[in-house]
Amino acid sequence: MTTAPIRIVIVGGGAAGWMTAAAFGRFLERGYAITLVESDEIGAIGVGEATIPQINLFNHALGIDEDAFLRATQGTFKLGIEFVDWLRPGHRYMHAFGAVGRDLGLAGFQHYWRRAHALGKASPLGAFALNEAAARAGKMRRGPAQTSKTLPDMPYAFHFDASLYARFLRRYAEARGVERIEGRIVDVALNSETGHVASLKLEGGDRTVEGDVFIDCSGFRGLLIEQTLNTGYEDWSRWLPCDRALAVPSASAADLTPYTRSTARAAGWQWRIPLQHRIGNGYVYCSDHLSDDQAAATLLANLDGAALADPRQIRFTAGKRRKMWNRNVVAVGLSSGFMEPLESTSIHLIQSAISRLLKLLPGRTMIDADIAEYNRQSDFEYERIRDFIILHYKANQRDDTAFWRERRDMPIPDTLAAKIELFAAGSHIFREHEELFTEVAWMQVMIGQGVIPVANHPLADQIAEGELLEYLGLIEALIAREAAAMPDHRAFIAAHCAAPSLA
Ligand SMILES: Cc1cc2nc3c(=O)[nH]c(=O)nc-3n(C[C@H](O)[C@H](O)[C@H](O)COP(=O)(O)OP(=O)(O)OC[C@H]3O[C@@H](n4cnc5c(N)ncnc54)[C@H](O)[C@@H]3O)c2cc1C
């Protein structure tokens, strides 16, 4: 006896919708029928260009060829994020992916660095990060180090055009049986007994789409999760008050930097994301402190090349849905919540939602325990990322505007306050369970934002000063030599994955 397949309906064809469709098409070959509904008239948000290394897990799981993907999306490589003027004007640091220094025995590298720093003899932290050395030199390579077997891997992510990525994944998903329906959803019918979403009505005629499970990828509007189920939103703007962004592409610059740049501005920050054919730019700002005209003028005055369009405004409120899975609807992407793209986490949140959903995959019946666990894990992930982003604002020493002074003076979540105190007192950082950002990421942003510990692990005081400096000097020299030996980023792209326009 064959049973009818479980019908999964994905609402929305932005990056979230097509990533979900691609993964479901790949992993749910049997027992499920997958449909995606999107409206050409509404379109996708069309921003979202910087990622973190976890994207490789998603692409590898789908068996996507990296060079083909980069060619199709005008992609470039990303080794980290540079933060300019965040601590104070004129200061810069990097949150580079990958290792920083090398732990020695029980104590992490930061303990040794802090001791040398207290002696006034430490190079900046970035000198001990291979990713940062390569990024600053404009270099890129894949695979193991060429000049020393002792150097760590160089993890990387990508900059790409998220709309082209969605298109690329659409071809992938449709080839694996996902059915695409074009049309604007104008009404949603609920099952009168369960309150579950039963079907979607499309504009024009009497087209309806029925389903058992609905994945809401409809963007900020949250068509099912909010407009239909009134799930509620947890507002985080008391910590993250930026509520608007202006985005504008500009002509390419001569140097194709293998990193994202975030530059602090009077009431927020500006992103710079180099793709093969253009640079993506935007100003994320707080409308209580800055007018739209002022934001546009600042953005346009700070581009590397000519603007290729008028700035486009996007409005948002930092926070998350009270439940990301409610009844038979799971919100994925912007419909589940939003945190400003300071650490390029949104696309990652999509892929981790997909992976969580595949692990707790619903059948025709929703199980309360599964829903509760999904929501618990999602909340934890969101809240720890939120804390990491708040750290950049809280620990600033800028005195130029009320916006920055208010950020420094604002109360912060207890979870973040405890992390800062632990680091400031004794250089300790502990990654909490499966939180996204590692000790190394926290260390770089803490130190970059001027949280310099007053003490280190006693074991780091046990080695003689000469030995300590020799150990640090050796790591620095190996990293500098390896970075110098790498090919230039632009040349690397030309050799492996140039999009037709660059090739
Ligand atoms: C300013 C800004 C900068 C960002 N930068 C980054 C970044 O650098 N890195 C990163 O990882 N993320 C970034 N993001 C987030 C990223 O853009 C999104 O996570 C990603 O694009 C996914 O969006 P989405 O698919 O959830 O929503 P959308 O792209 O908005 O897609 C919504 C879909 O729903 C469909 N839809 C809506 N209503 C209906 C209806 N009634 N009927 C039929 N279809 C409907 C639309 O047609 C569309 O296909 C940024 C976001 C913003 C706002």
Side-chain angles (χ1 to χ4, degrees):
M1 186 184 85
T2 53
T3 46
I6 295 163
R7 300 159 302 173
I8 297 187
V9 180
I10 300 166
V11 173
W18 284 113
M19 283 175 76
T20 308
F24 283 12
R26 160 80 180 79
F27 293 109
L28 306 183
E29 282 169 280
R30 252 170 269 135
Y32 286 82
I34 298 147
T35 306
L36 183 145
V37 185
E38 68 174 319
S39 159
D40 289 342
E41 190 191 320
I42 296 175
I45 190 147
V47 282
E49 301 179 326
T51 55
I52 54 176
Q54 282 78 354
I55 182 104
N56 286 296
L57 299 173
F58 184 78
N59 284 348
H60 290 167
L62 266 53
I64 287 172
D65 177 77
E66 182 170 299
D67 289 343
F69 143 74
L70 286 166
R71 273 192 289 274
T73 60
Q74 297 283 350
T76 63
F77 292 90
K78 171 176 172 182
L79 298 173
I81 308 172
E82 183 186 35
F83 292 94
V84 179
D85 298 343
W86 273 81
L87 177 59
R88 55 178 174 268
H91 180 268
R92 54 180 68 210
Y93 72 95
M94 206 175 257
H95 166 197
F97 306 137
V100 175
R102 198 178 310 156
D103 297 349
L104 206 55
L106 282 177
F109 178 76
Q110 75 271 19
H111 296 282
Y112 295 91
W113 181 86
R114 136 62 224 175
R115 182 176 161 212
H117 183 267
L119 293 167
K121 294 180 178 171
S123 296
L125 195 64
F128 303 97
L130 180 58
N131 276 53
E132 178 160 348
R136 294 218 178 272
K139 303 293 189 77
M140 177 60 205
R141 69 143 168 75
R142 290 187 280 221
Q146 297 300 302
T147 60
S148 166
K149 287 200 175 74
T150 60
L151 284 170
D153 290 347
M154 193 168 79
Y156 57 84
F158 312 102
H159 304 121
F160 57 74
D161 182 326
S163 310
L164 293 178
Y165 186 48
R167 203 178 298 167
F168 180 81
L169 292 178
R170 174 181 162 185
R171 286 195 294 274
Y172 178 101
E174 287 186 315
R176 284 159 184 78
V178 173
E179 184 196 0
R180 172 184 184 265
I181 297 177
E182 200 288 316
R184 188 187 187 108
I185 298 160
V186 288
D187 198 16
V188 180
L190 297 182
N191 179 308
S192 56
E193 273 171 36
T194 60
H196 287 191
V197 171
S199 65
L200 314 172
K201 182 164 186 275
L202 303 188
E203 191 174 51
D206 49 7
R207 287 190 300 164
T208 57
V209 181
E210 294 182 347
D212 302 302
V213 183
F214 289 82
I215 314 297
D216 186 346
C217 299
S218 65
F220 282 130
R221 56 180 62 75
L223 188 69
L224 305 183
I225 196 82
E226 195 58 51
Q227 292 183 3
T228 309
L229 297 186
N230 301 310
T231 303
Y233 195 73
E234 207 174 297
D235 184 331
W236 289 344
S237 53
R238 63 190 176 286
W239 298 305
L240 297 171
C242 287
D243 56 353
R244 292 182 192 181
L246 283 172
V248 70
S250 67
S252 296
D255 56 335
L256 197 59
T257 45
Y259 56 90
T260 305
R261 181 177 297 138
S262 161
T263 305
R265 300 275 181 229
W269 57 280
Q270 181 172 339
W271 78 74
R272 177 189 181 278
I273 301 177
L275 308 187
Q276 290 191 31
H277 62 321
R278 61 168 168 78
I279 299 179
N281 311 275
Y283 188 174
V284 173
Y285 59 101
C286 175
S287 62
D288 285 348
H289 286 263
L290 198 74
S291 72
D292 297 339
D293 288 347
Q294 286 170 313
T298 302
L299 177 62
L300 293 172
N302 287 286
L303 303 177
D304 288 31
L308 301 176
D310 290 331
R312 193 164 62 86
Q313 193 186 69
I314 301 148
R315 296 180 181 212
F316 50 81
T317 304
K320 65 161 193 68
R321 233 24 99 194
R322 289 199 184 283
K323 290 177 188 172
M324 308 211 186
W325 182 345
N326 189 5
R327 298 182 212 173
N328 65 338
V329 172
V330 186
V332 175
L334 296 173
S335 64
S336 68
F338 185 68
M339 287 177 274
E340 56 190 77
L342 188 59
E343 286 283 350
S344 317
T345 42
S346 287
I347 288 174
H348 168 75
L349 284 167
I350 295 171
Q351 77 180 70
S352 71
I354 293 169
S355 135
R356 196 173 299 132
L357 191 52
L358 283 170
K359 284 186 195 143
L360 289 163
L361 190 68
R364 245 178 281 275
T365 312
M366 301 295 126
I367 299 171
D368 287 345
D370 290 357
I371 296 177
E373 179 59 17
Y374 181 93
N375 288 331
R376 190 193 64 75
Q377 290 184 18
S378 307
D379 288 353
F380 176 80
E381 182 171 44
Y382 257 74
E383 285 165 10
R384 291 296 84 78
I385 293 174
R386 174 202 67 194
D387 286 1
F388 191 59
I389 295 176
I390 297 172
L391 170 64
H392 299 66
Y393 283 105
K394 173 70 180 173
N396 86 82
Q397 297 172 8
R398 292 180 64 115
D399 242 337
D400 52 328
T401 63
F403 173 81
W404 289 101
R405 286 189 292 273
E406 282 176 18
R407 302 288 66 71
R408 187 161 60 241
D409 295 340
M410 70 184 169
I412 52 174
D414 293 346
T415 39
L416 174 59
K419 260 195 167 108
I420 295 177
E421 201 184 323
L422 192 66
F423 186 71
S427 310
H428 297 296
I429 317 170
F430 296 96
R431 185 179 186 185
E432 207 182 333
H433 306 295
E434 304 251 298
E435 76 173 298
L436 174 61
F437 290 105
T438 62
E439 287 93 340
V440 178
W442 281 96
M443 165 175 66
Q444 291 178 87
V445 176
M446 292 266 198
I447 291 173
Q449 291 291 147
V451 183
I452 307 295
V454 295
N456 49 257
H457 196 292
L459 282 181
D461 294 326
Q462 299 301 310
I463 59 170
E465 185 181 320
E467 271 179 78
L468 171 72
L469 299 181
E470 194 184 324
Y471 155 73
L472 294 178
L474 181 66
I475 299 175
E476 197 176 337
L478 287 177
I479 283 176
R481 186 177 67 177
E482 174 67 13
M486 290 178 201
D488 173 73
H489 181 218
R490 184 182 288 278
F492 188 82
I493 288 179
H496 298 282
C497 50
S501 57
L502 197 79

